[in-house]
Amino acid sequence: MTGEISLLTIFVLSVFVGFEVVSKVAAILHTPLMSGANAIHGVILVGAILVAGKAESTVELVLALLAVVFATVNVVGGFVATDRMLSMFSGKERRR
């Protein structure tokens, strides 16, 4: 039970810190921040795959697979959004 409370505490603090960091960043820095976040989520994706590989119960496996799916969606969506934002800085000929 103590380990679960520690994990829940880490999760809540991570959500709070993430919200505070993202809400205080200037709009011009969102693209580099998003690129960095995409790289971090790549690491999270690898970690979720490792956890899924070592799952011993069905609940652990389901949660790990959900983490893999959500991390994959986040990485792909982040790179698509970054690509779209970077295309706004290119010339008119390259947009077509």
Side-chain angles (χ1 to χ4, degrees), residues 3-75:
E4 295 159 348
I5 291 174
S6 298
L7 292 176
L8 181 64
T9 303
I10 291 171
F11 177 74
V12 170
L13 288 175
S14 300
V15 169
F16 178 73
V17 169
F19 179 78
E20 288 296 318
V21 167
V22 170
S23 66
K24 303 244 185 305
V25 170
I28 196 164
L29 294 176
H30 279 186
T31 300
L33 180 65
M34 186 175 286
S35 297
N38 290 339
I40 291 170
H41 280 279
V43 173
I44 291 171
L45 179 60
V46 171
I49 291 170
L50 290 175
V51 169
K54 293 187 176 187
E56 295 179 359
S57 69
T58 305
V59 174
E60 290 175 355
L61 183 62
V62 168
L63 289 176
L65 291 177
L66 280 175
V68 169
V69 169
F70 287 138
T72 303
V73 168
N74 201 4
V75 167

Side-chain angles (χ1 to χ4, degrees), residues 26-35 81-95:
I28 196 164
L29 294 176
H30 279 186
T31 300
L33 180 65
M34 186 175 286
S35 297
T82 301
D83 185 53
R84 190 170 180 168
M85 282 194 289
L86 289 176
S87 70
M88 293 183 344
F89 296 109
S90 64
K92 290 183 179 180
E93 296 121 18
R94 299 183 83 193
R95 287 187 195 167

